[in-house]
């Protein structure tokens, strides 16, 4: 790895994406160059090839679950990113807005007639009472956003924009960038306040996510053996703990023999045996055969280096005898 690649952090762009905000948070006051990428896969590739020192990718949302694109890349079924490890995390509050252009002389929202949807009925549907439009949305014919955002704004979309064409794009900031090119007012994006400012778009509705307190967790990834330059070490985040492993997380993937009753329970028992508290579990198709899955298990604790003995190391050793195959995918400090 040469030149400024040692200081480059790849993230899902363009600028103003929530992943960009996560990168700014994770590397606050650090001497790094943030490098926007078009897709999540591009972030993994940049880190794998060494053109970026670290990567930041979305992992899960508090109201809409895991980002399957990231899970599949972590699973690495095609061997494209064999050296990727998770080395940190960042949490960003997500307040989706509907962005576009307010057309001159447009009807104010309180004068627009939402057919068969009296305001009292609309309010009862929302767990987030702030999710109401501030102008007439009847001109909108197309919506853009990252696929993950649709599921976080179901109530608003089904109430005010039901049946409107949706276009998936690589990120919420890319959605805003595309809408900024259409001054007709016929397109809109699910994106952020930051994107509205960057692309000079109007906020047509704010805080449209279903739940107040919506947040997304992002993972920091690195390549194996990608140590910081010895003279100017680069921390993986601004967060520190006592370093004893008590406030760390570890991610492991494994597959089991589905013909063996209790195979999954045996794998999970290996964690419980050593007092490792599970913080999340996910599944994705394993690629081995139909209806066979790879399990993603995250738990509290840190894998020790070398031959050192610790609860995580002991649990991983026990996995050898109860699962078909497993991979350790990193240990990092808990920022929750």
């Amino acid at each position: 790895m040469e030149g400024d690649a040692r200081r480059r952090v790849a993230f899902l762009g363009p600028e103003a994406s929530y992943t960009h905000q996560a990168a700014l948070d994770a590397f606050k006051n650090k001497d790094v160059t943030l490098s926007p990428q078009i897709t999540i896969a591009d972030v993994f590739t940049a880190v794998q090839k060494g053109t970026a020192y670290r990567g930041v990718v979305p992992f899960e949302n508090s109201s809409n679950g895991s980002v399957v694109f990231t899970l599949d890349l972590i699973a690495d079924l095609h061997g494209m990113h064999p050296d990727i490890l998770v080395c940190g995390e960042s949490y960003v509050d997500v307040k989706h807005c509907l962005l576009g252009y307010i057309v001159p002389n447009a009807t104010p929202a309180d004068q627009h007639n939402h057919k068969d949807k009296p305001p009292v009925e609309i309010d009862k549907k929302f767990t987030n009472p702030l999710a109401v439009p501030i102008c007439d949305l009847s001109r909108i014919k197309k919506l853009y956003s990252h696929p993950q955002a649709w599921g976080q704004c179901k109530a608003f979309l089904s109430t005010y924009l039901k049946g409107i064409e949706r276009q998936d794009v690589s990120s919420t900031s890319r959605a805003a960038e595309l809408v900024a090119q259409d001054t007709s007012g016929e397109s809109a994006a699910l994106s952020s306040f930051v994107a509205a400012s960057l692309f000079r778009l109007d906020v047509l509705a704010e805080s449209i996510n279903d739940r107040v307190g919506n947040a997304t967790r992002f993972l920091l990834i690195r390549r194996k053996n990608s140590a910081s330059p010895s003279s100017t070490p680069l921390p993986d985040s601004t967060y520190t703990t006592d370093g004893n492993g008590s406030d760390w997380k570890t991610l492991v993937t494994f597959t089991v023999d589905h013909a063996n009753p209790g195979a999954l329970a045996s794998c999970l028992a290996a964690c419980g045996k050593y007092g490792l508290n599970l913080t999340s579990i996910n599944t994705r198709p394993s690629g081995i055969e139909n209806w066979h899955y790879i399990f993603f298990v995250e738990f509290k604790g840190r894998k020790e280096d070398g031959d050192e003995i610790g609860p995580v190391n002991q649990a991983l050793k026990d996995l050898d005898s109860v699962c078909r195959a497993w991979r350790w995918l990193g240990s990092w400090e808990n920022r929750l």
Side-chain angles (χ1 to χ4, degrees):
M1 191 181 299
E2 299 181 357
D4 65 354
R6 294 193 176 199
R7 295 290 176 179
R8 184 175 295 123
V9 176
F11 68 92
L12 177 62
E15 292 184 354
S17 67
Y18 289 108
T19 314
H20 183 210
Q21 295 174 47
L24 291 171
D25 169 70
F27 294 95
K28 190 182 306 178
N29 301 321
K30 298 297 181 287
D31 182 19
V32 299
T33 298
L34 299 181
S35 176
Q37 306 295 311
I38 296 175
T39 67
I40 298 174
D42 291 337
V43 178
F44 274 75
T45 298
V47 176
Q48 175 65 38
K49 290 184 175 180
T51 57
Y53 176 76
R54 292 289 186 266
V56 184
V57 294
F59 183 64
E60 64 176 341
N61 177 263
S62 60
S63 62
N64 197 43
S66 300
V67 179
V68 295
F69 308 100
T70 301
L71 287 177
D72 288 343
L73 288 162
I74 290 173
D76 194 35
L77 299 182
H78 303 293
M80 300 294 291
H81 311 105
D83 301 317
I84 297 297
L85 295 175
V86 179
C87 60
E89 65 181 13
S90 178
Y91 292 82
V92 174
D93 290 334
V94 174
K95 296 181 180 179
H96 290 306
C97 299
L98 185 70
L99 308 183
Y101 288 110
I102 296 178
V103 179
N105 302 318
T107 306
D110 58 2
Q111 297 178 24
H112 182 62
N113 178 30
H114 294 282
K115 296 179 180 179
D116 303 320
K117 295 173 183 175
V120 66
E121 293 186 8
I122 294 172
D123 289 345
K124 287 181 179 178
K125 290 185 63 177
F126 287 107
T127 52
N128 176 3
L130 301 177
V132 293
I134 62 175
C135 67
D136 179 11
L137 307 181
S138 62
R139 290 179 58 91
I140 297 175
K141 297 180 180 179
K142 190 170 186 178
L143 297 170
Y144 295 87
S145 196
H146 185 277
Q148 201 78 7
W150 306 127
Q152 299 169 27
C153 306
K154 291 178 181 178
F156 181 88
L157 294 175
S158 63
T159 299
Y160 297 108
L161 294 164
K162 187 174 183 178
I164 301 300
E165 179 186 354
R166 300 179 185 182
Q167 177 66 57
D168 291 345
V169 293
S170 58
S171 69
T172 55
S173 56
R174 175 58 177 161
E177 186 177 42
L178 289 170
V179 170
Q181 300 168 15
D182 177 14
T183 58
S184 70
E186 294 183 352
S187 61
L190 274 61
S191 196
S192 67
F193 276 112
V194 176
S197 177
L198 179 65
F199 297 109
R200 300 183 178 182
L201 290 167
D202 297 318
V203 177
L204 310 181
E206 61 182 84
S207 191
I208 66 172
N209 32 278
D210 293 340
R211 298 184 181 276
V212 176
N214 188 33
T216 295
R217 177 160 67 127
F218 298 83
L219 296 183
L220 280 59
I221 59 174
R222 69 174 177 88
R223 185 178 177 179
K224 291 179 183 176
N225 303 320
S226 60
S228 301
S230 58
S231 58
T232 53
L234 177 61
D236 287 318
S237 74
T238 59
Y239 183 80
T240 58
T241 66
D242 57 14
N244 64 8
S246 62
D247 201 16
W248 284 59
K249 295 177 181 177
T250 290
L251 180 64
V252 174
T253 61
F254 59 79
T255 56
V256 300
D257 182 358
H258 284 33
N260 180 12
L264 175 59
S266 297
C267 291
L268 298 180
C271 298
K273 177 180 177 181
Y274 298 101
L276 302 175
N277 184 27
L278 268 64
T279 52
S280 75
I281 182 168
N282 290 282
T283 63
R284 292 293 292 158
S286 68
I288 297 174
E289 58 189 77
N290 288 346
W291 321 122
H292 188 277
Y293 300 93
I294 183 170
F295 295 89
F296 300 74
V297 174
E298 179 188 271
F299 48 80
K300 290 286 188 71
R302 179 180 66 180
K303 179 178 179 293
E304 304 296 337
D305 294 333
D307 296 328
E308 292 188 46
I309 300 299
V312 171
N313 298 57
Q314 291 175 301
L316 294 179
K317 184 177 179 180
D318 284 5
L319 276 179
D320 278 328
S321 61
V322 294
C323 72
R324 179 180 289 188
W326 64 269
R327 288 176 62 206
W328 170 74
L329 286 162
S331 298
W332 66 93
E333 292 169 314
N334 177 20
R335 291 194 69 184
L336 184 60

